[in-house]
């Protein structure tokens, strides 16, 4: 967002405030920032910033909403940096797990839970890999990953080595998904650049006489990792011989979604300074080796419309336009524009960012965490973007681009996304060095809240205050034959004469993990006619719920 545009927003807000009559109630913001003094979340990210400007310093952190203790309330996990080959903290630092006290406050339970980390953490992916009904956590790192198994008693155990997940290199975003439809969650890990071992490439001095962060273009790309869940608490690397192994990228964001409705989960990967990847799941070959076809170029989502590789960071997928097919989103750095890809239903996509105010609003921004979600429960998919430039010295070189940047909110109206950031509330007039973003309903009021992790700062918790008078239905899906998290489930629901669709994807955003429940918005309709759930394979069953009561959460178990 340009400085001119920010000033216009500030002037408009001031003019609006001036028109409020004495004694009149102020307008309720769409989202209200919850201060640490209220939430109890006092943890702050340490980005290990040094004069040498090592690249991992600028890419974290991620965050997550998860119900680690199965009490029906979303808890919060926050990832921190830590000891590595270039950073030795002067005092202990750790990740943080905050338990939801069910009254709008949280309590730090990290030490008791045993999830403090200890590596130079990047992101977190939450999933029930062993189908026991309790969420587990995979923490990615510059260094080695950590797999925390939920012990069902408020504690976790690090089983990384036992599980075979001691992944080398620099991993960023990760996603749990069942690629072979055997009912168990497998794991895809984005691998970033080859950053060396003990000596790291220096990009020299800038005009200020200081080191600066290297552009990832100068580093070699690496192949990402695909792990198959063996069903016994262990995993096996299976990317060898597939396009995943052949595709050397610089992966930062990933989302798993079925883009062609063939019942198999595909992968969209955002790469930094090289083309993005679309790994379409083609199933097993004649030797029963699972195949993924990398076809981003053919799908027209590998490069910009001008044929250039961009700095892909955050991604997401959703049926934005209610066509029954998954659309895609990728956020880039300033001057590159972000892309909203509409699914053409034939394994190709068309960039419609300009028609949806996305390109115009993001020209001077760098995007990381993001999420498609129906923030006001009117039944139409909206969008939130967390932004911040990767270079903390950018303001010395640019009069327009800033290091800390505003959050953007888009509302869908008449089939188009409209930038409503100026109306969203005071939090949207501030600027942040934002990175990860997680969406989840922490107070169980049916309105999805937002958690944003900032680089070298405190997290931002935004309570959703929108959608007054709109109705909704929240579903916690429990697979039996399919994976317990029901990732890949497809939903249809009817209310007020409108039928809408939704797919339960996995991953998305950047380094972060969302509330696993789905919320179906129905607007002013006071009655929901029916909800239809198509469970993922190997089940494939279709389950129908007639006339469910709205404005509540309910658990639906695969029948």
């Amino acid at each position: 967002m340009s400085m001119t545009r920010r000033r216009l927003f500030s002037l408009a807000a001031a003019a609006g405030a001036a028109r409020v009559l004495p004694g009149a109630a102020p307008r309720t913001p769409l989202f209200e920032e919850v201060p640490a003094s209220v939430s109890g979340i006092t943890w702050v990210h340490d980005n290990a910033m040094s004069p040498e400007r090592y690249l991992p310093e600028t890419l974290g952190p991620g965050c997550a909403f998860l119900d680690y203790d199965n009490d029906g309330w979303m808890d919060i996990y926050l990832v921190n940096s830590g000891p590595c080959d270039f950073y030795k903290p002067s005092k202990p630092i750790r990740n943080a797990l905050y338990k939801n006290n069910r009254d709008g406050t949280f309590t730090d339970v990290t030490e008791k839970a045993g999830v403090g980390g200890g590596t130079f953490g990047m992101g977190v992916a939450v999933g029930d890999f062993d189908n026991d009904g309790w969420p587990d956590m995979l923490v990615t790192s510059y260094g080695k990953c950590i797999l925390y198994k939920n012990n069902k008693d408020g504690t976790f155990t690090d089983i990384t080595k036992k599980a075979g997940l001691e992944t080398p290199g620099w991993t960023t975003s990760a996603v749990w998904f069942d690629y072979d439809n055997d009912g168990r969650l497998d794991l895809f890990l984005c691998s970033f650049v080859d950053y060396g071992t003990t000596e790291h490439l220096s990009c020299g001095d800038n005009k200020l006489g200081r080191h600066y962060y290297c552009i990832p273009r100068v580093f070699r790309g690496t192949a990402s990792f695909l792990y198959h869940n063996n069903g016994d608490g262990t995993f096996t690397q299976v990317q060898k011989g597939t396009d995943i192994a052949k595709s050397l990228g610089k992966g930062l964001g990933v989302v798993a979604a079925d883009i062609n409705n063939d019942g198999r989960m595909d992968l969209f990967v955002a790469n930094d300074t090289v083309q993005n990847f679309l790994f379409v799941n083609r199933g097993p070959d004649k030797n029963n080796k699972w195949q993924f076809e990398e076809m981003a170029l053919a799908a027209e989502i590998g490069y910009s419309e001008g044929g250039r590789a961009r700095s892909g960071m955050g991604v997401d997928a959703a049926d934005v336009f209610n066509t029954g097919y998954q659309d895609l989103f990728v956020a880039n750095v300033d001057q590159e524009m972000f892309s909203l890809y509409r699914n053409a239903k034939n394994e190709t996509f068309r960039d419609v960012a300009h028609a949806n105010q996305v390109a115009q609003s993001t020209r001077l921004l760098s995007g990381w965490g993001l999420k498609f979600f129906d923030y006001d429960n009117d039944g139409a998919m909206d969008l939130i973007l967390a932004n911040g430039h990767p270079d903390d010295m950018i303001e010395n070189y640019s009069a327009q681009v800033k290091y800390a940047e505003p959050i953007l909110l888009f509302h869908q109206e008449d089939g188009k996304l409209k930038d409503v950031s100026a109306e969203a509330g005071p939090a949207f007039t501030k600027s942040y060095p934002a990175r990860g973003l997680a969406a989840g309903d922490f107070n169980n009021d049916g309105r999805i809240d937002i958690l944003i992790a900032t680089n070298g700062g405190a997290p931002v918790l935004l309570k959703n205050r929108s959608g007054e008078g709109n109705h909704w239905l929240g579903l916690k899906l429990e697979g039996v034959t399919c994976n317990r998290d029901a990732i890949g489930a497809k939903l249809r629901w009817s209310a007020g004469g409108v039928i809408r669709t939704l797919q339960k994807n996995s991953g998305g955003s950047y380094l972060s993990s969302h509330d696993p429940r789905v919320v179906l918005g129905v607007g002013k309709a006071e009655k929901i006619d029916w909800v239809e759930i198509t469970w993922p394979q190997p089940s494939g069953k279709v389950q129908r719920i007639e006339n469910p009561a709205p404005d509540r959460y309910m658990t639906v178990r695969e029948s």
Side-chain angles (χ1 to χ4, degrees):
M1 185 183 294
S2 68
M3 288 298 295
T4 301
R5 193 170 173 209
R6 283 202 196 98
R7 291 192 190 100
L8 288 174
F9 284 171
S10 300
L11 290 170
R19 287 194 294 268
V20 176
L21 297 175
R27 181 174 179 178
T28 301
L30 299 179
F31 287 85
E32 177 184 351
E33 185 174 356
V34 182
S37 59
V38 173
S39 70
I41 301 174
T42 58
W43 177 94
V44 176
H45 179 248
D46 183 337
N47 62 358
M49 184 175 286
S50 66
E52 288 76 18
R53 292 298 196 273
Y54 295 112
L55 191 56
E57 298 169 5
T58 193
L59 290 190
C63 57
F65 278 114
L66 76 159
D67 183 7
Y68 84 96
D69 54 358
N70 271 347
D71 67 350
W73 294 76
M74 285 296 118
D75 310 299
I76 284 174
Y77 191 70
L78 301 159
V79 180
N80 213 338
S81 67
C84 66
D85 56 7
F86 64 80
Y87 181 50
K88 302 295 184 277
S90 58
K91 59 182 180 180
I93 60 176
R94 58 173 174 80
N95 302 345
L97 176 64
Y98 279 93
K99 175 178 170 55
N100 191 328
N101 299 324
R102 313 184 196 185
D103 59 1
T105 69
F106 294 81
T107 298
D108 190 334
V109 295
T110 314
E111 298 300 333
K112 177 183 177 182
V115 289
T119 63
F120 199 101
M122 286 281 128
V124 55
V126 178
D128 182 5
F129 78 85
D130 52 3
N131 287 336
D132 66 354
W134 295 76
D136 311 295
M137 294 193 296
L138 187 285
V139 179
T140 62
S141 301
Y142 169 71
K144 73 178 185 71
C145 299
I146 303 174
L147 178 61
Y148 286 118
K149 175 177 166 52
N150 196 320
N151 298 324
K152 312 179 190 179
D153 61 359
T155 69
F156 292 76
T157 299
D158 179 349
I159 63 165
T160 315
K161 185 174 182 179
K162 178 182 177 182
L165 286 175
E166 289 188 302
T167 309
W170 182 355
T171 52
T172 52
S173 292
V175 62
W176 295 101
F177 74 126
D178 182 8
Y179 76 81
D180 57 351
N181 287 333
D182 65 354
R184 298 187 293 265
L185 291 181
D186 310 300
L187 179 66
F188 179 89
L189 285 166
C190 284
S191 179
F192 196 45
V193 300
D194 181 357
Y195 198 58
T197 51
T198 57
E199 294 185 8
H200 302 297
L201 179 66
S202 171
C203 286
D205 296 336
N206 57 23
K207 64 183 180 182
L208 302 175
R210 296 157 64 186
H211 287 286
Y212 57 89
Y213 291 114
C214 297
I215 297 173
R217 188 176 294 111
V218 304
F219 298 101
R220 291 193 300 269
T222 58
S224 292
F225 300 90
L226 179 65
Y227 285 95
H228 179 257
N229 187 334
N230 299 323
D232 59 0
T234 69
F235 294 80
T236 301
Q237 273 193 45
V238 293
Q239 74 272 3
K240 187 177 180 180
T242 72
D243 280 4
I244 293 175
K246 298 172 187 175
S247 303
L248 300 183
K250 302 174 184 181
L252 287 179
V254 60
V255 63
D258 181 3
I259 62 104
N260 53 9
N261 285 344
D262 65 356
R264 294 188 290 260
M265 298 293 279
D266 312 300
L267 296 164
F268 178 47
V269 179
N271 284 310
D272 197 342
T273 69
V274 296
Q275 74 153 83
N276 298 322
F277 296 145
L278 178 63
F279 295 115
V280 177
N281 189 338
R282 298 302 189 195
D285 62 15
K286 61 183 180 180
N287 298 317
N288 205 34
K289 174 72 174 178
W290 223 267
Q291 297 298 316
F292 286 84
E293 180 185 359
E294 199 295 292
M295 55 171 298
L297 188 60
E300 301 184 44
I301 59 176
Y303 297 94
S304 70
E305 287 187 320
R308 296 178 181 174
R310 295 181 290 184
S311 300
M313 296 178 290
V315 296
D316 203 14
D319 183 5
V320 180
F321 304 106
N322 202 39
T323 64
Y325 281 77
Q326 296 294 291
D327 308 298
L328 301 174
F329 193 96
V330 61
N332 304 296
V333 299
D334 62 282
Q335 311 298 342
E336 292 183 346
M337 257 78 91
F338 303 0
S339 285
L340 170 58
Y341 291 114
R342 182 164 183 151
N343 196 320
K345 307 182 183 180
N346 60 359
E347 297 189 352
T348 69
F349 295 80
R350 183 168 59 90
D351 193 345
V352 295
H354 280 280
N356 286 272
Q357 294 192 6
V358 170
Q360 303 91 314
S361 296
T362 61
R363 187 177 68 85
L364 296 175
L365 301 181
S366 299
W368 304 83
L370 57 97
K371 179 65 175 171
F372 284 121
F373 71 130
D374 178 10
Y375 74 77
D376 58 351
N377 287 329
D378 66 353
M381 200 63 73
D382 310 306
L383 173 68
I384 190 166
L385 303 174
N387 309 292
H389 200 277
D391 184 358
D392 66 315
M393 291 187 283
I394 187 63
E395 291 167 44
N396 294 301
Y397 321 128
S398 174
Q400 294 180 303
V401 179
K402 305 299 178 185
Y403 175 60
E405 298 176 345
I407 310 163
L408 295 186
L409 185 68
F410 295 82
H411 184 250
Q412 186 168 167
E413 300 173 11
D414 300 321
K416 296 286 181 69
L417 292 175
K418 176 185 176 184
D419 187 345
V420 295
S421 309
E423 309 159 22
F428 290 77
T429 66
K430 300 179 182 179
S431 295
Y432 310 90
R435 296 296 186 265
L437 178 150
D441 182 7
F442 77 83
N443 55 0
N444 282 347
D445 65 354
R447 292 181 277 200
I448 300 175
D449 311 298
I450 295 295
L451 175 68
I452 296 172
T454 67
N455 184 254
V460 180
L461 182 61
L462 301 177
K463 181 165 68 174
N464 190 335
R465 301 286 302 276
S466 69
E468 189 68 35
N470 286 346
H471 299 286
W472 55 279
L473 177 66
L475 300 177
K476 180 183 178 182
L477 303 180
E478 288 188 0
V480 177
T481 307
C482 68
N483 67 87
R484 182 67 177 255
D485 288 345
I487 291 168
K490 297 177 180 178
L491 296 92
R492 299 172 69 239
W493 69 102
S494 172
V498 179
I499 296 176
R500 298 193 179 274
T501 65
L502 179 147
Q503 183 182 117
K504 187 176 180 185
N505 298 327
S506 185
S509 191
Y510 173 74
L511 303 181
S512 300
S513 200
H514 308 295
D515 186 335
R517 301 171 296 182
V518 295
V519 177
L520 312 180
V522 298
K524 300 300 181 185
E526 297 182 356
K527 176 177 176 291
I528 302 173
D529 305 317
W530 49 263
V531 175
E532 187 178 89
I533 304 164
T534 301
W535 295 92
Q537 298 294 337
S539 167
K541 295 176 182 176
V542 178
Q543 191 167 340
R544 191 177 175 98
I545 306 168
E546 299 286 348
N547 301 316
D551 303 328
R552 66 182 177 120
Y553 280 100
M554 62 183 292
T555 298
V556 181
R557 188 173 173 86
E558 179 191 343
S559 63

